[in-house]
Amino acid sequence: RKPTDKNPNPKVFRMKLFAANTVVARSRFWYYLSLMKKVKRANGEILEVHEITSNGAGQVKNYGVWLRYDSRSGTHNMYKEYRDVSLTGAISKMYREMAGRHRARTSSIQVIKAQEVAAKDCRREVTTAFHDSNIKFRLLHRMPRSEHKRYNAKYRAS
């Protein structure tokens, strides 16, 4: 709640959430807050909602994501690593991977913690494979084009 004469210093709770839009973010805020504290939506109000953007865009970083999800058989904890240019991009990859590998819906996934991880602290081999500075990729399916003029007519704009 906002400060009033009756309560000049109310308790303020802050949370970092990943949601598709502000409506979903507000709903998830109340859901998580009711799990942690004895607060109902009727007894509180959301002061502000901000979209957090990454300032170091364009540079690939390693992100570690600690999560909990409900499967058909029970609740599971996980740690996953992703390489992306932003934290929101890494979280998007996580949601897609969880949907593909574990058939977990977005509503059943709870992100406990997500942070940037240094290269020396990465645990997963999928992530550490890209830490080599001399990494090389093969150029697959290269098709040699004919050098003669008569064969180039079909690639010319008319």
Side-chain angles (χ1 to χ4, degrees):
R1 290 196 174 269
K2 292 180 181 172
T4 59
D5 296 334
K6 203 176 197 180
N7 189 3
N9 295 320
K11 278 192 174 181
V12 177
F13 299 102
R14 185 177 178 182
M15 212 176 284
K16 186 189 265 189
L17 297 167
F18 299 96
N21 54 42
T22 56
V23 176
V24 178
R26 286 168 174 266
S27 174
R28 300 305 286 170
F29 172 80
W30 286 116
Y31 172 73
Y32 291 129
L33 191 64
S34 65
L35 291 177
M36 293 186 290
K37 303 287 181 184
K38 196 173 180 180
V39 178
K40 291 195 301 185
R41 186 180 290 190
N43 297 334
E45 63 179 305
I46 294 177
L47 300 176
E48 291 179 350
V49 178
H50 294 289
E51 183 178 348
I52 300 171
T53 57
S54 61
N55 48 3
Q59 186 178 5
V60 178
K61 295 182 271 304
N62 307 308
Y63 292 99
V65 180
W66 288 261
L67 62 108
R68 185 170 101 186
Y69 81 100
D70 296 319
S71 70
R72 294 177 183 133
S73 59
T75 306
H76 309 282
N77 295 319
M78 270 189 193
Y79 169 75
K80 292 191 160 288
E81 285 179 354
Y82 299 96
R83 284 176 58 80
D84 206 287
V85 294
S86 67
L87 179 60
T88 53
I91 295 294
S92 296
K93 282 184 179 180
M94 182 270 302
Y95 279 127
R96 288 189 192 116
E97 184 187 3
M98 292 299 292
R101 287 182 194 264
H102 304 282
R103 302 295 185 261
R105 306 292 180 263
T106 307
S107 58
S108 67
I109 299 171
Q110 298 178 10
V111 178
I112 297 166
K113 186 167 81 169
Q115 68 180 25
E116 192 176 329
V117 180
K120 61 181 174 61
D121 298 329
C122 288
R123 307 178 202 171
R124 305 291 183 250
E125 193 175 327
V126 176
T127 311
T128 56
F130 290 97
H131 291 171
D132 184 14
S133 59
N134 297 323
I135 192 167
K136 294 180 181 178
F137 297 99
R138 290 181 57 202
L139 297 172
L140 302 172
H141 197 67
R142 296 182 79 186
M143 296 181 64
R145 309 270 298 277
S146 177
E147 296 175 8
H148 297 292
K149 251 186 173 175
R150 63 181 173 180
Y151 295 117
N152 291 339
K154 62 181 169 184
Y155 298 112
R156 198 176 306 130
S158 56

